Amino acid sequence: MRKILIIIAVLIISCSSNQKKEIADTVVTNARVYTLSWDDPSLDGVPAQNASIKNGVWQPDAEAIAIKNGLIQFVGTTEEVQNYIGETTKIIDAKNAFVVPGLIESHGHVHEIGEKSEMVALNNLSGDEIIEAIYQKSLQVPAGEWIIGYGWDEAEFANEYPDMIALSNKVKNNPVALQGLRGFGALGNALAFELAEITTETVATDGGEILKDEKGNLKYVLLNHAKNLLDNKIPKKTLEQRGRILKYGLNHLASLGYTTAHHAGVVKEWMEGYEDLDSKNELMLRTQIFVAARMHNIELVEEWVEKGPTSSDSAFLQVKTFKAYYDGSLGSRGANFLEDYSDQSGHKGVASTDYGFHEGLIKKALDAGFQLAIHCIGDKANREVLDLYDDYFKEHPESRDLRHRIEHAQIIHPDDFTRFKDLNIVASLEPGHAVEDMPWAIDRVGEERIKGGYAWRSLRKAGATVIFNSDYAGTDPSFFYGAYCAITKQKRDDDKQWFPEQAFTPEETLRAYTIWAAYASKQEHLTGTIEVGKWADLTFMDVDVLNIGNTNPNQLLNGQILKTMVNGKVVYEK
């Protein structure tokens, strides 16, 4: 018997030795980790029974993470993680920082961040101030050089645009192009229009509009898709310049805690920039490209329809989605509605082929296996795109599993909320827009229709997957700003709440930037929560979003990102 016991003891010791933990590349200690690995909250926002919350107070559910080969190897206590530490292990002392799954910016325009850093900022300026700012810039640059500005708000100026005749008289030797905050308008001076060959005879297509005065003279204002008549004449950037601009944008997003960026509506020149960065291993964030499904981008569209979606989830550059545009913006009255605009009788906006949406092109992308992300603002646009998806799924039921998206889903008819779940359509929404637009949005659609606007709770109650983003550079891409807007339904420094019954809880908000956004890309098995086997994409911050969001959400606006980790490597550190 004694010999048997000795043999058993030896076997146990041997097995224990064989089960020795593999040494980690990196270990994070002294962290307050929210793994989000528990179940989703109810459709009313009530935390799940297994959620890490006690007596209404959220409790971090881990304090240490081990990482190996870019993947999470262990999640638990600081004491337990010691088993994974060896001579070569890098130890990161989180110093009590809050660590959440890597944030996902699920709709934006990376190049705009870099471009805007080099443009004249026009945000919050009056018409006269815009003219003066451009005039001052003209005194600093050589004659003939293009002056590019950005940030005038199409909604704020919808009734009276800056006087571009006056600007043309003050700035005669430099072509000027001023891009709208939301990407739905462009202003120029006479020289820029002359170089772009835009005259009183030029015809705007795809829902665009060239504004003229009562005598038929140009006002040098272009709305909706007509903006490309000017934008496309701005001298093209070199491949090196494009790379620099994209890297600037990605680095900025990294500083905001994002580990993945979805770039919505990429055209050929920017795709070339991405491919060049990827070939040099210079993409610091996981980047998902949404090819712009526009006729002016047909060369890139046809290239990817022939190639089909990329197949490697681990690739930092992925192309699995096409971005289409069904109607215009609410601010410039381009959004398409079932009934007239409340502040413009007889006008319902523009949509479909009138706005450059080509169903044949879209179906080619669907046939090739791509996910679709379609821009819809008005209630009619949302309904017609839901109809389009419904009709296609009847012939191709397998496409329903791709989790197609509607971008913005801004004003939805009450009858259409449940269709998002029925068709497995993801609602991709911007918390910042919901509070920034509301004062004039009510004027556009009236008190009754606006109840279907920015209606996150209604979508969740109907069972839809909701994801949050900023549509940068149209609004502040900060996660803290987006979370504040989502939780409070308030603008900064404003006590007015806009339909607070549609607000999200802090947990829902964090999930809309993490696991639900991962679900939208069919990557929930790879990222979105902090669990063994998932990507080591982590965001370190100094604010307890879950608790502060409940008790004092104003403090979210002071939140800071301390560190951003992608694939186990720190890509940003404060």
Side-chain angles (χ1 to χ4, degrees):
M1 175 64 76
R2 184 179 179 188
K3 289 183 178 179
I4 292 173
L5 291 174
I6 292 172
I7 291 172
I8 292 173
V10 169
L11 288 172
I12 291 173
I13 293 170
S14 176
C15 289
S16 299
S17 177
N18 290 337
Q19 292 175 0
K20 181 177 174 63
K21 303 296 188 296
E22 189 175 4
I23 297 304
D25 297 327
T26 303
V27 162
V28 178
T29 63
N30 299 319
R32 289 181 280 184
V33 181
Y34 285 119
T35 68
L36 294 189
S37 59
W38 55 89
D39 294 337
D40 279 350
S42 72
L43 301 183
D44 289 321
V46 177
Q49 287 189 348
N50 64 339
S52 188
I53 187 171
K54 185 177 181 180
N55 297 325
V57 179
W58 288 97
Q59 313 289 325
D61 55 330
E63 58 186 14
I65 303 168
I67 299 165
K68 183 75 174 179
N69 297 326
L71 300 177
I72 296 172
Q73 184 183 20
F74 167 82
V75 183
T77 67
T78 296
E79 181 180 354
E80 292 170 324
V81 86
Q82 302 303 314
N83 294 323
Y84 296 86
I85 297 175
E87 292 182 2
T88 60
T89 302
K90 177 182 179 181
I91 299 175
I92 296 176
D93 184 347
K95 299 178 181 178
N96 270 337
F98 293 93
V99 179
V100 300
L103 300 175
I104 298 171
E105 224 311 344
S106 54
H107 180 120
H109 312 281
V110 175
H111 67 291
E112 289 185 1
I113 296 175
E115 285 185 317
K116 273 44 174 185
S117 70
E118 301 178 1
M119 294 181 180
V120 181
L122 307 176
N123 307 64
N124 302 315
L125 298 186
S126 68
D128 289 343
E129 289 170 336
I130 287 172
I131 293 169
E132 181 62 21
I134 299 304
Y135 172 67
Q136 292 298 325
K137 182 68 174 180
S138 72
L139 301 178
Q140 303 166 22
V141 299
E145 181 175 315
W146 281 74
I147 297 174
I148 313 299
Y150 166 79
W152 63 274
D153 193 324
E154 297 95 324
E156 296 292 336
F157 287 103
N159 297 319
E160 185 176 356
Y161 293 94
D163 187 347
M164 301 310 291
I165 304 293
L167 176 63
S168 298
N169 291 332
K170 293 193 73 169
V171 182
K172 299 180 179 180
N173 299 318
N174 298 92
V176 173
L178 310 181
Q179 298 173 356
L181 180 66
R182 306 295 169 80
F184 290 96
L187 312 174
N189 66 349
L191 179 56
F193 271 56
E194 179 184 335
L195 293 174
E197 299 179 340
I198 304 170
T199 70
T200 56
E201 305 301 317
T202 302
V203 176
T205 60
D206 296 337
E209 188 176 0
I210 302 171
L211 296 193
K212 300 173 187 175
D213 64 20
E214 63 278 1
K215 295 182 180 179
N217 297 316
L218 291 171
K219 286 188 172 183
Y220 304 107
V221 176
L222 306 172
L223 299 181
N224 296 314
H225 199 49
K227 71 185 183 66
N228 290 327
L229 294 171
L230 179 59
D231 289 350
N232 291 343
K233 295 297 182 177
I234 297 172
K236 301 296 182 186
K237 295 176 175 61
T238 65
L239 186 61
E240 182 181 354
Q241 288 173 321
R242 281 174 272 167
R244 181 190 74 228
I245 286 169
L246 290 173
K247 286 178 69 174
Y248 183 97
L250 291 170
N251 276 313
H252 183 66
L253 290 177
S255 75
L256 298 177
Y258 295 108
T259 59
T260 297
H262 297 182
H263 189 151
V266 174
V267 297
K268 186 173 178 59
E269 65 173 315
W270 294 111
M271 177 62 84
E272 291 171 347
Y274 275 121
E275 290 173 333
D276 185 56
L277 291 179
D278 188 45
S279 70
K280 300 173 182 175
N281 294 316
E282 293 182 4
L283 289 175
M284 68 289 297
L285 301 188
R286 301 183 194 276
T287 308
Q288 297 184 25
I289 300 298
F290 296 7
V291 175
R294 290 285 206 184
M295 292 307 294
H296 67 75
N297 194 41
I298 193 63
E299 184 179 347
L300 187 66
V301 167
E302 291 178 342
E303 176 186 338
W304 280 96
V305 165
E306 183 177 348
K307 286 180 178 178
T310 51
S311 58
S312 172
D313 275 322
S314 62
F316 265 51
L317 184 64
Q318 298 187 28
V319 186
K320 297 183 177 182
T321 307
F322 271 55
K323 165 75 183 300
Y325 309 77
Y326 199 80
D327 66 343
S329 73
L330 183 60
S332 59
R333 299 187 183 89
N336 193 228
F337 286 96
L338 295 164
E339 304 295 336
D340 291 355
Y341 276 78
S342 298
D343 60 356
Q344 188 172 341
S345 179
H347 182 66
K348 292 183 172 68
V350 293
S352 192
T353 53
D354 290 337
Y355 195 64
F357 183 90
H358 298 276
E359 193 167 324
L361 184 154
I362 297 305
K363 288 187 175 177
K364 283 183 179 180
L366 288 169
D367 290 345
F370 283 93
Q371 180 192 57
L372 257 291
I374 304 180
H375 165 113
C376 298
I377 303 294
D379 56 11
K380 186 178 181 183
N382 277 281
R383 175 172 293 179
E384 290 186 348
V385 167
L386 288 167
D387 289 344
L388 182 151
Y389 281 133
D390 195 4
D391 290 343
Y392 187 82
F393 296 163
K394 289 172 183 175
E395 299 271 337
H396 307 274
E398 72 285 353
S399 184
R400 187 180 181 279
D401 295 333
L402 292 179
R403 304 170 187 173
H404 299 286
R405 301 166 45 152
I406 287 183
E407 305 304 304
H408 316 305
Q410 207 156 311
I411 312 290
I412 301 170
H413 190 278
D415 294 345
D416 292 326
F417 282 103
T418 58
R419 300 182 69 195
F420 281 79
K421 178 186 178 183
D422 294 343
L423 297 171
N424 199 27
I425 303 301
V426 173
S428 170
L429 309 162
E430 295 79 29
H433 289 181
V435 297
E436 294 162 4
D437 296 358
M438 196 58 72
W440 50 261
I442 294 176
D443 294 337
R444 296 286 189 275
V445 301
E447 295 284 350
E448 190 58 34
R449 267 187 299 186
I450 200 64
K451 293 177 182 177
Y454 317 88
W456 315 322
R457 178 62 59 203
S458 294
L459 281 162
R460 270 225 81 208
K461 281 188 173 182
T465 296
V466 173
I467 63 176
F468 282 156
N469 45 66
S470 67
D471 192 14
Y472 57 85
T475 193
D476 185 349
S478 162
F479 162 75
F480 297 114
Y481 173 64
Y484 167 81
C485 294
I487 295 165
T488 66
K489 277 283 195 168
Q490 290 176 294
K491 295 174 71 172
R492 289 188 182 97
D493 305 319
D494 190 346
D495 292 333
K496 172 74 172 176
Q497 279 190 298
W498 301 101
F499 303 97
E501 66 274 11
Q502 295 291 349
F504 261 26
T505 67
E507 183 195 3
E508 289 173 310
T509 299
L510 184 56
R511 286 182 178 275
Y513 281 99
T514 54
I515 184 60
W516 294 345
Y519 173 88
S521 299
K522 299 192 77 171
Q523 291 186 331
E524 70 275 17
H525 61 296
L526 299 169
T527 189
T529 60
I530 300 175
E531 297 181 82
V532 173
K534 289 194 173 185
W535 292 334
D537 292 359
L538 307 171
T539 302
F540 297 63
M541 56 182 65
D542 66 351
V543 180
D544 185 344
V545 173
L546 296 182
N547 284 311
I548 293 299
N550 278 327
T551 60
N552 191 357
N554 284 341
Q555 289 186 13
L556 292 174
L557 295 173
N558 299 320
Q560 296 185 69
I561 298 299
L562 304 176
K563 201 184 308 286
T564 305
M565 179 181 286
V566 180
N567 208 41
K569 297 180 179 179
V570 175
V571 296
Y572 168 79
E573 189 165 14
K574 185 172 174 61

